[in-house]
Amino acid sequence: MPEPEPEPTPEPEPELSGGVYTIIFVTDKKYDDPVALNGANIGDTNVWIRLNIDQVPSLSIDRVEWFLDDVLYRDDDLKAPYDLTYMPKALRFSDWGSPGEHTVTAMVVYSTGLQEAVKATVTVTDSSPPLPEPEPEPEPTPEPEPVPGIFPNASNTGVPAGTRLTRVASSSWWVVPGGTVLDSIEFTGTIVIGGPNVTIRRSRIICDNSNAGINNFVSNYANVVVEDSEVACIAQPVVSSASIAGSNITIKRCNLWGGADGVKLGSNSKLLDSYIHDLRDGITPSGGTSHNDGVQISSGSDIDILRNTITNEGGTYVNAGVFVKPDFGPISNVVIDGNYLDDFGFTARLSGATVTDSRITNNVFGYGFLYGTVLVDRGAENPANNNVVSGNQYDDGISINY
C-alpha cells in the first residue's frame, strides 16, 4: 500500500523585532513639543521629522531609510550601527512636491536584514503666496538693518519663508563658473567656486561628504557672496569639514550647521548676521576625531566676524567659537565684534605670535564654555602685537574683564 503523505513542515515564524516606533515632527529643531506626524496638517516648508523609539527592539538597527510617497528621500544621518543612546539630528522635509495628502515612510533596516516599515499620512497645505506675474527687475531693495538686541537665530537667517526652491542634480563636486548667480535652489553635495563674482542666495545646500558645502579655498576667487541661505552638513561618520570655506567671501544672514567647523575663512572675508550651531562630532577625513570650531582662521588678513550667533550646545569635542591661530601663515586685522558667543572650550581665542592688530570687542558671551570666554595666548598677548579685548559682557549684563 502507498505510504501516507508526510505532514507538511510548518512555515517558520516570521522574525520579529519587538520595536515600537512613532514618526514625530516639529516646526523647529529644538524638539520641545513634538507631535505625531500621522494625521497631521502641516505647511509645506520647514518641518523636521524624526523616528521616535517608543519600545527598544530586540534586534540591532543598522540604518533607517526615509521615503516620501514611496520614493527614497535619503538615509537618516544616524550612526552605524544605530546607537539608541544617540539623539539623531532631525531630518528636514522641505519640498513636498505639491499640497495634498502625502505618505512618509521610515524603513527600519535591522542588522539581520529584516526590514520594518513605519508609515505616517500627512496633509500638506500650501503656505506660500501664489507666484506673481513676471515684472521688470525692480531697483535693488536695501538690505535689512539688524534689529538691536536680537541676535541671529533660525527665524531670521537662512532661506526666507515662502521661497520656492528648485532641486538641481546632486554632485559631490559641482564647479560653478565665474559670474554665476544661484538663486532659490536646493543642492546636495559640494559647490566649488570656479571663478570670480559668484553669488549664492536664498538657497539650501546639503553637504553629504567630507568636504565643505561651499568651497572657495581651491583657487580663492574674488568677490564671492553667500546670502540668505542654509548650508546643512549631514555626512556621518566622516563629517563635513565645514559649511563654508574660503577667502574673498562674504557670508550674510546664513544658517550654518552640522559640519566639524562652521566656517573656515581666509583673507578679505566677512561673516555677517549669521547663525552657526549644532556642529557635529565625528571622524575627520584623516581618521582623527573632529574638534569643533564655530569660525576657524588659520592665515590671512582683513577678516570681519560681526553680529553673529555662534553656539554649540552639548558638543563633546569642542575647541573654540572663534579660533584664530596662524597654522598656515600670519594673521592680522581680524575683527570679532557684536556677536553672541556661547559654549566651546574657550569661546573666543587669539593664539600665536604672528596674530596681530586684531580685536575681540563688544560681544555678549553665554556661560556654556568649558574653560573660559576669551583667551589670548602663545605670543598674541604681547603688547607689541596690538591685539585688543574690550567691551565684552555676559548675557546677564556682567562685564568681562580680561
Side-chain angles (χ1 to χ4, degrees), residues 328-352:
F328 303 124
I331 299 173
S332 64
N333 196 27
V334 175
V335 178
I336 306 163
D337 186 88
N339 304 280
Y340 180 80
L341 307 169
D342 198 6
D343 310 311
F344 299 93
F346 284 99
T347 314
R349 185 175 180 184
L350 309 178
S351 183

Side-chain angles (χ1 to χ4, degrees), residues 64-315:
V64 176
E65 297 174 346
W66 289 92
F67 294 81
L68 175 59
D69 297 328
D70 299 321
V71 177
L72 181 66
Y73 195 82
R74 67 176 186 258
D75 289 355
D76 203 355
D77 53 340
L78 303 175
K79 292 185 176 179
Y82 194 109
D83 181 355
L84 298 178
T85 65
Y86 172 71
M87 184 63 72
K89 296 288 184 189
L91 190 69
R92 185 178 207 160
F93 278 64
S94 57
D95 185 357
W96 296 90
S98 63
E101 190 171 276
H102 293 274
T103 301
V104 174
T105 303
M107 183 66 70
V108 183
V109 182
Y110 298 96
S111 55
T112 63
L114 177 69
Q115 297 185 2
E116 186 171 356
V118 184
K119 291 182 177 287
T121 301
V122 58
T123 300
V124 176
T125 58
D126 190 348
S127 61
S128 302
L131 293 176
E133 293 295 320
E135 295 180 359
E137 284 287 323
E139 290 296 316
T141 302
E143 293 190 355
E145 290 292 326
V147 179
I150 298 179
F151 288 102
N153 56 64
S155 71
N156 56 18
T157 60
V159 181
T163 303
R164 291 186 176 274
L165 300 181
T166 300
R167 288 189 184 180
V168 299
S170 302
S171 172
S172 60
W173 197 254
W174 180 20
V175 179
V176 175
T180 299
V181 176
L182 298 177
D183 193 348
S184 305
I185 68 162
E186 181 169 282
F187 167 76
T188 298
T190 290
I191 293 177
V192 180
I193 306 302
N197 305 312
V198 170
T199 297
I200 301 170
R201 67 165 64 102
R202 299 188 303 178
S203 295
R204 178 174 299 119
I205 313 303
I206 302 166
C207 184
D208 62 352
N209 60 64
S210 61
N211 209 288
I214 300 171
N215 191 334
N216 193 36
F217 268 147
V218 176
S219 299
N220 293 314
Y221 288 108
N223 194 29
V224 176
V225 177
V226 184
E227 60 187 11
D228 300 309
S229 294
E230 177 182 10
V231 184
C233 299
I234 66 168
Q236 278 282 79
V238 179
V239 296
S240 305
S241 63
S243 288
I244 301 175
S247 299
N248 307 315
I249 191 165
T250 297
I251 303 164
K252 298 184 286 187
R253 300 179 300 277
C254 287
N255 186 344
L256 310 172
W257 60 275
D261 299 323
V263 296
K264 299 176 185 285
L265 297 180
S267 292
N268 305 311
S269 295
K270 299 179 186 295
L271 177 69
L272 310 175
D273 306 303
S274 293
Y275 181 33
I276 293 176
H277 59 105
D278 290 314
L279 304 179
R280 193 183 301 277
D281 300 333
I283 302 169
T284 65
S286 61
T289 301
S290 66
H291 64 285
N292 306 133
D293 295 320
V295 177
Q296 186 180 93
I297 300 170
S298 299
S299 67
S301 61
D302 302 314
I303 303 168
D304 291 342
I305 314 296
L306 308 179
R307 304 181 304 275
N308 306 282
T309 295
I310 302 173
T311 67
N312 195 34
E313 183 178 0

Side-chain angles (χ1 to χ4, degrees), residues 378-393:
R378 299 186 178 182
E381 74 280 12
N382 189 325
N385 285 37
N386 196 33
N387 296 315
V388 176
V389 178
S390 69
N392 302 293
Q393 65 179 35

